[in-house]
Amino acid sequence: MATNTAGSNDPTLNRRQTKRPKYSKFTQQELPACKPILTPQAVISAFLIVTVVFIPIGVASLIASRDVVEIVDRYEAECVPSNWTDKVAYIQSGADKTCKRELHVEKRMKAPIYVYYQLDNFYQNHRRYVKSRNDEQLRDAGKGNSTSGCDPETNINGVPIVPCGLIAWSMFNDTYSFSRNKNNVTVNKKGISWKSDRDHKFGSDVFPKNFQNGAIKGGASLNETIPLSQQEDLIVWMRTAALPTFRKLYGKIEVDLEKGDVINVVLKNNYNTYSFSGKKKLVLSTTSWLGGKNDFLGIAYLSVGGLSFFLSMAFTIVYFVKP
Amino acid sequence: MSSDQPLLSEPDLVPPVIHHRHRKSGSRTSFFEVAADSSTTDHHREVVLAKDCSFHSAFCNNNNNSGISSSSLTEAQNPDSEFRLECPTRERGLLRSWGAMELHEISTASAVTTAPSRRIHHKSVQFDEQILHDDNARLIYINDPKKTNDKYEFTGNEIRTSRYTFITFLPKNLFIQFHRVAYLYFLAIAALNQLPPLAVFGRTVSLFPLLFVLCVTAIKDGYEDWRRHRSDNNENNRESLVLQSSDFRSKVWKKIQAGEVVKIFADETIPADMVLLGTSDPSGLAYIQTMNLDGESNLKTRYAKQETTSAVSSEVCDIAGIIRCEQPNRNIYEFTANMEFNGIKFSLSQSNIVLRGCQLKNTDWIIGVVVYAGQETKAMLNSAASPSKRSRLEGYMNRETLWLSIFLFIMCLVVALGMCLWLVRHKNQLDTLPYYRKRYINKGPEYGKKYKYYGIPMEAFFSFLSSVIVFQIMIPISLYITMELVRLGQSYFMIEDMHMYDASSGSRFQCRSLNINEDLGQIRYVFSDKTGTLTENKMEFRRASVHGDNYGSSLLAADDSSAATDVILKRRWKLKSEISVDPKLMSVLHKNPNRDERVVAHEFFLTLAACNTVIPILTDGEFSGCGTSESTGYVECIDYQGESPDEQALVSAASAYGYTLFERTSGHIVIDINGEKLRLDVLGLHEFDSVRKRMSVVIRFPDNAVKVLVKGADTSMFSILANGSESHNSLLHATQSHLTEYSSQGLRTLVVASRSLSDAELEEWQSRYGEASTALTDRASKLRQAAALIECNLNLLGATGIEDKLQEGVPEAIESLRQAGIKVWVLTGDKQETAISIGLSCKLLSADMQQIVINGTSEEECGNLLGDAIAKYGVRSSSRGHQNLNNKTNADHGNIDISNSSKSMSLPKWNPGKEEGTTTPLALIIDGNSLVYILEKELESELFDLATSCKVVLCCRVAPLQKAGIVDLIKSRTDDMTLAIGDGANDVSMIQMADVGVGICGQEGRQAVMASDFAMGQFRFLKRLLLVHGHWNYHRVGYLVLYNFYRNAVFVLMLFWYILCTAFSTTSALTDWSSVFYSVLYTSVPTIFVGILDKDLSHKTLLQYPKLYSTGYRQEAYNMQLFWITMIDTVWQSLVLFYAPLFTYKDSSIDIWSMGSLWTIAVVILVNAHLAMDINRWLLITHYAVWGSIITTYGCMVILDSIPVFPNFWTIYHLAKSPTYWITILLIIVVALLPRFTCKVVWQIFWPSDIQIAREAELMRRRHDRLQSRHQGSS
């Protein structure tokens, strides 16, 4: 019992000391903190800040977008001779697919002028399509036989295709050549793809093999002597588009086009979009710091800026009326 | 002395059991009380009787209006024949006993409750196995383990708390883990994704989330199990001395078997449940500490039977005998057995057994025989976890999750139907579409076969399934894991809260349940126990009425009183606690003006000193704890160890008046009367029970006079007093008026009486008593019959009044809770007067209140009283409408009041009366008897109507199950959350019944704490717990849930819009890894931190304006409306997310990976900005978490985009160079959040909530303070 009473003093004291929660601002939830609160001033200034930031950006992007000159020519209908009623039959036939178009330059276009082709109703983002590729095969010469994921375009009679998969197989193969006043306008097809893709994704020692040898030709053929890293059309095509309407870079024209110029385009209408009634367009466009011609950003920024200005005003009034 | 006891042949033997524990320390109400016991009082604690038997059945024939007590069995068998019960309570056949440990079954059982009257039935638990049928008994051959174990295959003493072994770990752990629905969902999704036509994600990627959670859980489980293994090993390899071939040899615990004889030394732990055979004390006494078992730190006495003590002490260890005991059960307060030893058959009870896990104290050694070993010990049987409760908010959350599942289903259906229609439309083109190609086109073995094309219906079905995979996070499975983490964090802060640390007991706040933190913020009803919860349960002897004279109105400290000091000087011992004495009473005792009076006073104190089960413990006086008197030199210090604080108070008081209980053994007690030692033989002791509500002790004085000393509750005592002369009657009246006075002062009263026994009476009693105490069945009722023989015709000695002090801060806490709109109901076992006076002193009741008292003694009377009250105070009978109205008026008042207050910046004056819509606040006081009738019958709804319209409800004299019944009344009739708070075992049922159970770590052991969800040291912490932590937790979790719904839905919807643009082909623009990381890594951390750390208001404000709590039970932080608003907002945000980039990059050469990258970043920034907008309190950690998440996302994207083999290689580098990218993100964020922000502002201007106003007030006050301090600084 002696130990009991003796023990009851000291140990309890110790125990208390250890058991008592230690004071710290953290454990007591008293850390210094900022408590934002929606005071009238804060609200109004928030809206004003948005206004101040958004309206200049909106104006700038609208100006940038307006500066861009864009020529769009839809040709998939006109480029089928009128005597062919069945367009699919025409495109699959061996007939001459050459088609001549004229483009009028409405406004001066400064180099570089980007040449795009635009496809419509082409679901490059379809799950079957997006997955139908094999990145290892494209990158590594030693992995030529790895065709997993490429179905149904993997091999022909057991011999693997390089590059395999639906994406490569269905590569776009219309070609365009431009002339102005009978002078050829050269289209630079170098550097149209991402440098990172050329350097790391598509091997410089990987050559096309057994490509487009199947029963049905899906699209462009590839020169088997040129490594994939230099097949820029393929590289561009293999960056599958996000949306069913998309543009892909065809090349760059590195001379200025003057106002009133007439550009003659000789194109080979090879690609079959008729089977899925897809449109084909040729696009010549200059570029700004914001990219191509698109007023959306400018309008959106201006309207948001305007709206928040209106709101800030409204709240100012409300606060004056109802303090 | 006991020659006239037929059963005990040896003359020196005392009756087998004398004083031993009344089950639980001071439990006011026994566990064994039965539902129907309507008249439990607080006095249980005061009187502790020998409980030799295990309360087998109740016998009420001597108590006319007491209920039926204790257990069960015989009653269950022949309900009507044996009992004449006046109370038409429950169906008699259904009476059950329920032990403390069985209580947890209540919560499950009550879930199936259908009708109120049935409830009790379900709640009660029957121990059929308790009956010691001979065929059901367990036979233990003492010291013959082989024979013992041959027949029955008892378990060895090895314990195993671990769940797994090394080999079974993996399968078993996985099996257990997959019991969770969440994991099954993960598994199903992952399995779906493995099917070739459905492979949306890469196969390994889709397994990642599942593997992640499985690994984390497995590691956690494995670690815990390893620790269990280690502690098991330690435990199993401890050693004890075991009798082996006539010699005690050391043996490891796991080898000990039932039937073996074990010797334990002081301070050792008991290895198994053992029946005591002998101890170092010649009378067979042993002290044990049951800290490990029930948390009570005081010492308890156990006895070896006299018959065996002698055999064991004689060194020769050839012990043989048979113990016939009940099958293992988990009731630690009961043990029924008998023993045949040397040809004598006698009974064993709870006082003869020591349980595993207890420690031997103050006794040199004990020898015992193992009856239950290993897993069969009561300690192991009791180690089951308490049931888990589910929070209200989680229930709502599940409802909304169902909605989300419906959305998910609809979205998947849209995709499937779209797919179907698209395929039908393009049916003929499928072979030629360059992006579809349903057949193999090249020559080879597969030429012409269909490639992944299974026909339109199947394709549609597959696209349905694969969209389920893509949209899987619509069901926020991770939310459950997040919530667990958040609650863990919240609990940490609650535990660490210094303001909830009780310095006096050194106990911190405890979170025993991790599931219901947020429920603390929605409490509407608080059911509080009184004793030990509102009061300190530290009893102080205040008043005494001796022989019709009232004493104690002027008390002096013992040392100051001159009359007392000379008495004290004579003493050689000293009490540990100081008691103040009334000199007047002192002088009555010593300077006898009236002989008669003196004798009565003498006997009065003798009874106080003798009639109890308190154990005096002597210590040397040199210790500082009590060595105050240098003058007297050597002083012995007496510490009274008792189970009930009342008894301790009484014994201490008696000691202060010179009657010091000095020694107590099983056969005698020694009382020091003013220096003279008086040895009294204890012939028998009738322990306290809830039926008799008194205890008595039969004492033989040195002069061979035999007296029975009784103390008990006034109601049970006055009926058994002797009807005598005129003077006697006046004495009776005087005492009764004193009692009324005491209880009106809030004192706990007891009546003391005594009587001399004639030889004939003694003999009859002894034979009955002896028979009863060795009876195997029905012991309790037989003992009660024996007690009835002598507990009659008593001479009134006096009455006592004991004060139970209010705990610190109770009135303030109650006032705050009331202001917060929480209704505080007090449920107590005390008398009506006591309850009312305590109610007044803790400001529960106020003088201006209209008190409705309902204490009917019959059903009709109760009905009438209720009806009258309802008619009189115009209570609306439709409870539902009333409730709504109530809420509404509450809400209105709240708004008005708080806006006024914040504008005037002054403390709001709440008028509590206003709340109820009636002019005078009502207080309902109802007693247990009436409750029996009311809860039983259709009157329940009337009671409910009345009670809910009263401001205060006080229920007195309620039994534990009635407490639960009242909680259930509210729980089943309203949607309001209930909280029960209590400290004793009698509160366990209530604690488990309520939505939130809070236990007070008090004087009454840890039963309540063990059953509770939260435990704390003092009642006043409840204020902080609810108003501060409850509020915070509720708001945090409510926001967390909404935010998580939003966070996942906005992502899924974004994917959904995109899939509509991909010919319904379930393409995701996002990379597989980004999709998986989104909810795991990119956005999960901030929500956790915000869920743990965010607070809308400081604790000062919350405590200052308790009304702010009402936002919780009005469900302001989480409700259906908010859910739908959030969902609408989510749709808007996802549309912005999807269409802003779509329009920006319309007619451009953007590729799918760049678009996906943009969307990934945009959605992560958006949800974090959304969160940032809603954070109330920015800590450094919050900044890190929110902005860190965005940076982490960028980091991950950079890493993922740097791996050439992914098709998304280098995307982010390209994007980051273009200004369009950044401008688009900015646009998305602003446009997406604009409506939410505007709504928030508008809402705040025109319909500000209390919280916002309080926040503003808080901020203004701070600014004000800062200005002032700056002012002072400058001047």
Side-chain angles (χ1 to χ4, degrees), chain B residues 785-816:
Chain B
Q785 277 173 300
L789 279 178
I790 49 166
E791 288 173 355
C792 56
N793 286 324
L794 300 169
N795 300 317
L796 179 67
L797 295 176
T800 58
I802 297 170
E803 188 186 21
D804 190 1
K805 272 192 190 155
L806 268 189
Q807 277 185 17
E808 196 188 330
V810 166
E812 292 82 359
I814 288 184
E815 185 58 27
S816 295

Side-chain angles (χ1 to χ4, degrees), chain A residues 1 19 26 28-29 34 36-37 125 127-128 131 151 153 157 201 239-240 242 290 294 301 322, chain B residues 441 443 451-452 496 508 617 619 1036 1058 1065-1067 1095 1143-1144 1151-1152 1178 1204 1209 1223 1245:
Chain A
M1 206 69 276
K19 233 184 162 186
F26 176 68
Q28 301 308 308
Q29 308 196 45
C34 160
I37 192 157
N125 58 13
R127 187 153 61 91
R128 288 173 81 103
K131 304 238 165 198
D151 277 333
E153 184 65 23
N157 290 327
K201 253 190 113 44
R239 279 236 152 227
T240 47
L290 209 55
N294 191 340
Y301 264 83
K322 182 182 181 289
Chain B
I441 40 178
K443 293 231 167 57
Y451 164 68
K452 282 194 186 173
E496 288 292 321
R508 284 189 191 196
I617 287 167
T619 42
R1036 286 164 181 172
Y1058 184 65
S1065 64
T1066 61
T1067 318
K1095 26 182 236 200
F1143 289 132
T1144 310
D1151 63 284
I1152 189 167
W1178 281 93
F1209 180 62
I1223 289 179
I1245 295 169

Side-chain angles (χ1 to χ4, degrees), chain A residues 1-2 4-6 8-9 15-16 18-23 26-39 43 46-47 50 53-54 57 116 118 121-131 133 135-136 139 149 151-158 161 166 169-170 194-197 200-201 214-216 239-249 271 275-276 289-291 294 296-297 300-301 304 307 311 315 318-319 322, chain B residues 197 199-200 362 422 429 432-444 451-452 466 492-493 495-498 501 503-504 506-508 576 617-619 623-624 1029 1032 1036 1058 1061-1063 1065-1067 1093 1095 1099 1140 1142-1155 1175-1179 1181 1204-1211 1214 1219-1220 1223 1226-1227 1230-1231 1234 1237-1238 1240-1242 1244-1246 1255-1256 1258-1259 1262:
Chain A
M1 206 69 276
N4 202 17
T5 20
S8 67
N9 281 320
R15 194 170 359 111
R16 268 175 214 177
T18 50
K19 233 184 162 186
R20 184 185 192 92
K22 286 186 200 80
Y23 177 82
F26 176 68
T27 56
Q28 301 308 308
Q29 308 196 45
E30 282 167 3
L31 283 176
C34 160
K35 298 172 191 165
I37 192 157
L38 294 174
T39 55
V43 170
F47 279 120
V50 171
V53 172
F54 269 53
I57 294 179
Y116 299 95
Q118 178 171 340
N121 206 13
F122 189 111
Y123 286 90
Q124 260 207 327
N125 58 13
H126 198 283
R127 187 153 61 91
R128 288 173 81 103
Y129 189 78
V130 171
K131 304 238 165 198
R133 60 191 283 159
D135 288 284
E136 287 192 336
R139 199 171 137 256
D151 277 333
E153 184 65 23
T154 45
N155 49 48
I156 299 165
N157 290 327
I161 302 168
L166 279 180
W169 174 76
S170 63
W194 291 11
K195 189 171 181 299
S196 58
D197 283 356
H200 300 287
K201 253 190 113 44
I216 307 165
R239 279 236 152 227
T240 47
L243 298 166
T245 303
F246 60 90
R247 286 177 187 182
K248 291 218 172 276
L249 193 55
Y271 199 66
S275 61
F276 54 91
W289 59 274
L290 209 55
N294 191 340
F296 171 74
L297 275 182
Y301 264 83
V304 171
L307 183 67
L311 285 173
F315 282 120
V318 165
Y319 282 123
K322 182 182 181 289
Chain B
V200 177
N362 277 7
W422 191 87
Q429 300 170 348
T432 52
L433 285 179
Y435 52 87
Y436 197 91
R437 283 284 154 197
K438 82 175 185 200
R439 284 170 204 283
Y440 286 93
I441 40 178
N442 291 318
K443 293 231 167 57
Y451 164 68
K452 282 194 186 173
S466 52
Y492 171 78
F493 282 116
I495 291 165
E496 288 292 321
D497 192 334
M498 277 175 54
Y501 169 77
S504 61
S507 57
R508 284 189 191 196
K576 279 195 91 177
I617 287 167
L618 299 172
T619 42
F623 289 102
S624 57
H1029 289 286
W1032 283 344
R1036 286 164 181 172
Y1058 184 65
C1061 295
T1062 62
S1065 64
T1066 61
T1067 318
L1093 293 170
K1095 26 182 236 200
H1099 60 96
L1142 195 75
F1143 289 132
T1144 310
Y1145 288 100
K1146 192 170 163 267
D1147 293 338
S1148 76
S1149 56
I1150 186 115
D1151 63 284
I1152 189 167
W1153 313 117
S1154 305
M1155 201 67 150
I1175 288 176
N1176 291 314
R1177 190 164 160 274
W1178 281 93
L1179 299 174
I1181 305 172
V1205 91
F1206 288 150
N1208 50 304
F1209 180 62
W1210 223 247
T1211 313
H1214 267 272
T1220 324
I1223 289 179
L1226 181 65
L1227 181 74
V1230 171
V1231 174
L1234 198 64
F1237 183 73
T1238 315
K1240 218 174 146 175
V1241 172
V1242 168
Q1244 205 160 316
I1245 295 169
F1246 295 104
R1255 286 193 71 196
E1256 274 170 45
E1258 198 174 277
L1259 208 75
R1262 228 177 38 182

